[in-house]
Amino acid sequence: MQQPLKIYNTLTRKKDKFEPINPPFVGMYVCGPTVYGDAHLGHSRPAITFDTVFRYLAHTGYKVRYVRNITDVGHLVGDADEGEDKIAKKAKVEQLEPMEVVQYYTDRYHEDIYRLNVKTPSIEPRATGHIIEQIELIKSIFDKGYAYESNGSVYFDVVKYNEDKPYGVLSGRKIEEMLEGSRDLDGQGDKKNSVDFALWKKAEPEHIMRWPSPWSDGFPGWHLECSAMSVKYLGEKFDIHGGGMDLKFPHHECEIAQHEAAHNCSPANYWMHNNMITINGQKMGKSLGNFITLRELYSGDHDLLEQGYSPMTIRFFILQSQYRSTLDFSNEALKAAGKGYKKVINGLRLTKKLAYVADESIEVNEKQVKQIDSIINSIYRGMNDDFNTAVSLAGLFNLLKKINGIHLGNIKPAELGEETFNKVIETYQTFVEEIFGLVEEKPADLEKAIDLIIEEYKTAKENRDYDKVDKVRAELKEIGIVLKDMKDGVEWAYDEF
């Protein structure tokens, strides 16, 4: 009997049993990238984390609508309410239209992130495609008395909202402390209070990206976009809202407040936040020289990289840790992940060659069957405990030991019985390919090339040309391939060491 799925809910600060609003349907909204630069290592973690959530929920029978947005306006430098739009700033530097910047980096984001075998979301809306919905949402907040206009811009009145509902429920921040900490600041610009945030900003004359509204020609606030798009595609109340830990405050906190103000409910029942990736113990930042894009990771073209790392190595590296845990990048960690990935793929290749062989003279080994059932339960138990891929991977490696035992003849298929044997194969393949999203990375025509080399190797062995035998082995090992002499012939595998 499998345990029910539990999710650590940032809102309740505990693991809550997952109970969808309208099963078997599940609505999940995840904050996507602001497209003004190439995807970097940090982007890979939420992409893979919520891809795995998407995959596992689908595997367990849910019909998931996964919405991941593209932010293409309103995200200002410094994540603040004043200053230049990140995309408009890039457009000025490159002497392009802002939407040229958006298209260019959206395309590159897709190219880089999908190499990680991340599934496309069900819907990928852009903020600029939902200006009407955002204006209507502001009107609704105005009607409830929680918005005010100031010089053509519209702000959310956090202090007034806090009189009716607590502001800070997600992050645990207290409005009194935030106000106290901002008293010494010189002026608040157009805001009544420093804690208020923009719903609509009046565009300055030089501001390129602007739309007409009842208040001014301007653009929507960053926080507003996600509220409008999530409601449009998932309804006023949906199941899961996800994103990186850095979005918890102010972005997600503001989302909750404006949603509560407009709809009198919190948008999502479960708030999930993946932790950040550090690099050699430091937060990633351009000023520190440790900012690594995914393209640089793939190619190895960065001073901090000793080599390039394949997309599946990066995916495996991220799956090795539970999504809420800290994860530190280093060359050593990536190389270790590469070895682990190859071990898993070698196991996958084995499962596709193994077949059940009935033998009435062999009795079912109940001890082996119980061990395998326990291992498979541990794999599911890890995923049901807040998507703990680290625990599930450990279970998968234990299952791989049984698969290797079958392959080497130490465990006879008949000892397990056909049902358990098939369960071993199906569970391993399902978790590797369907849930963890790991695929075999191999050069073009690798199989054909290795088959030719193996024939040459066999001939050398038959002729007792041991110098050539050793040379073939050494040359293959240099490219990460090892040969194994078996009873029935010669096999190859990826080098795990």
Side-chain angles (χ1 to χ4, degrees), residues 354 356-357 362-373 399 402-403 405-406 410-425:
L354 295 175
Y356 183 74
V357 180
I362 298 175
E363 291 185 7
V364 171
N365 186 329
E366 295 296 343
K367 185 178 178 181
Q368 285 281 13
V369 171
K370 284 182 180 178
Q371 286 177 356
I372 286 168
D373 283 343
L399 195 62
K402 299 295 183 185
I403 291 165
I406 296 168
N410 299 327
I411 302 172
K412 304 293 183 187
E415 285 183 69
L416 306 180
E418 190 169 7
E419 183 181 343
T420 299
F421 176 86
N422 289 336
K423 194 193 295 183
V424 168
I425 304 302

Side-chain angles (χ1 to χ4, degrees), residues 116-241:
L116 297 167
N117 199 30
V118 169
K119 284 179 174 287
T120 56
S122 313
I123 303 171
E124 191 176 54
R126 293 188 182 189
T128 55
H130 299 79
I131 299 296
I132 292 171
E133 289 86 351
Q134 292 173 75
I135 289 172
E136 291 303 310
L137 179 55
I138 296 171
K139 288 179 181 177
S140 179
I141 296 171
F142 254 117
D143 290 343
K144 301 293 177 62
Y146 297 116
Y148 61 90
E149 182 184 352
S150 180
N151 295 327
S153 293
V154 181
Y155 294 94
F156 188 88
D157 194 334
V158 172
V159 173
K160 186 173 182 182
Y161 170 82
N162 192 65
E163 292 171 359
D164 301 323
K165 298 185 179 187
Y167 179 78
V169 291
L170 191 68
S171 63
R173 300 195 183 201
K174 302 294 182 186
I175 191 169
E176 297 81 12
E177 294 172 5
M178 288 189 281
L179 287 168
E180 183 70 31
S182 65
R183 277 182 182 171
D184 295 334
L185 297 175
D186 291 331
Q188 305 298 340
D190 295 333
K191 297 181 185 181
K192 289 182 182 178
N193 294 286
S194 60
V195 291
D196 297 346
F197 58 89
L199 298 173
W200 186 266
K201 287 289 293 180
K202 180 182 178 180
E204 298 300 323
E206 69 275 9
H207 200 95
I208 309 170
M209 305 172 82
R210 58 174 67 219
W211 291 263
S213 80
W215 312 285
S216 63
D217 278 6
F219 55 91
W222 174 38
H223 314 308
L224 189 80
E225 300 166 1
C226 288
S227 289
M229 290 186 286
S230 63
V231 168
K232 182 175 178 66
Y233 298 109
L234 298 175
E236 292 179 7
K237 191 81 172 174
F238 54 94
D239 297 297
I240 298 170
H241 195 312

Side-chain angles (χ1 to χ4, degrees), residues 250-263:
H251 188 52
H252 290 164
E253 196 73 79
C254 294
E255 272 193 68
I256 290 175
Q258 63 201 7
H259 193 99
E260 284 271 9
H263 306 294

